[in-house]
Amino acid sequence: MTIWRWAALAGLVALAISFGFGQIPGIHACGLPGDAILNFEFVKAPSEVAILFPDHCRAEHVVAQRHGLWLDALGFIPTYTSFLILSLIGLRTEGGTAALRITGIGIGLTLVAALCDQFEGLQLFRILDDLPGTQSTIDLLIPAVRIKFGLLALVIMLVGWLHVQRSGWRKPAGAVIMIGGLWSLVGLFTHRDWLLQGSAVAWLILILTNIILAIRKPA
């Protein structure tokens, strides 16, 4: 398989896992507005954790969040990390001095984001072990979550920029990927819904781009 085929496969698996989070039994048990997993990731105090885990649904929701964290640690994080790194390697093989530098930076940022994501998961497990958690644990969680999302948005923008440098249909595809990454980055600091919306747009277009590159005939 070419690098683009591996990248497309990793992207499709990551996409399937991302849909799987919403299907975890009990993940919506408490019926609160917003994304249940994202809400938990962005808590800032034990009082906010307590709101997410009210008495009438706490046991079921804790089990669901644990399942989500294991799926994240063992499935989603390794898969999306592979997807981004393989996409960057594919762009690197196309040559160019700028591509060599930027893909190296992108791979490094992706690995740091993945480490932050795994660290985030450990802190969330600690909170679940002793609800509603301690402020010291949450203080470690807060920067890890934001660094992760920020770095992933930056990596997506770098990938988009590299596609913009290519000819033909890849220019508009790369522009949409960049816009999605920027949309996600802005959402991190302003409107949390934008965080997922921007990421969804960028990642879907990148997956489609990788699929097209994987099946195209050599020039």
Side-chain angles (χ1 to χ4, degrees):
M1 293 178 74
T2 67
I3 196 68
W4 291 117
R5 290 176 182 172
W6 284 113
L9 178 61
L12 290 171
V13 174
L15 182 63
I17 294 174
S18 69
F19 281 114
F21 286 114
Q23 308 307 312
I24 297 173
I27 201 67
H28 304 296
C30 295
L32 298 173
D35 183 278
I37 293 176
L38 198 67
N39 287 343
F40 189 28
E41 289 179 320
F42 275 89
V43 292
K44 296 180 182 177
S47 59
E48 294 184 6
V49 176
I51 293 172
L52 297 178
F53 294 88
D55 292 339
H56 72 278
C57 60
R58 179 176 299 167
E60 185 178 3
H61 195 46
V62 166
V63 172
Q65 288 285 359
R66 285 187 184 279
H67 287 166
L69 288 172
W70 281 116
L71 180 60
D72 196 34
L74 301 179
F76 190 55
I77 297 173
T79 307
Y80 81 63
T81 301
S82 299
F83 168 59
L84 290 176
I85 289 177
L86 288 168
S87 298
L88 287 161
I89 292 174
L91 288 160
R92 186 186 187 95
T93 60
E94 294 181 335
T97 304
L100 290 174
R101 289 198 299 265
I102 292 174
T103 53
I105 293 170
I107 290 171
L109 294 179
T110 301
L111 292 173
V112 173
L115 289 174
C116 287
D117 207 352
Q118 295 287 12
F119 180 77
E120 167 199 313
L122 291 175
Q123 302 312 305
L124 293 173
F125 270 123
R126 290 178 64 189
I127 293 172
L128 292 175
D129 286 340
D130 186 25
L131 286 174
T134 64
Q135 189 61 53
S136 59
T137 300
I138 294 174
D139 286 342
L140 292 172
L141 171 69
I142 290 171
V145 172
R146 286 152 181 80
I147 292 171
K148 173 196 73 173
F149 279 115
L151 291 182
L152 290 177
L154 288 174
V155 171
I156 283 293
M157 292 170 67
L158 290 177
V159 170
W161 187 87
L162 288 171
H163 278 291
V164 168
Q165 307 313 303
R166 315 307 296 182
S167 60
W169 61 271
R170 291 175 66 181
K171 285 185 179 295
V176 174
I177 293 168
M178 287 184 67
I179 291 170
L182 180 59
W183 185 1
S184 179
L185 186 62
V186 172
L188 177 61
F189 299 102
T190 57
H191 200 293
R192 197 180 300 167
D193 287 345
W194 294 0
L195 184 63
L196 294 182
Q197 292 166 359
S199 295
V201 169
W203 287 57
L204 284 172
I205 297 302
L206 181 54
I207 290 171
L208 289 173
T209 298
N210 286 351
I211 291 172
I212 293 171
L213 291 171
I215 64 177
R216 68 176 181 176
K217 294 181 179 180

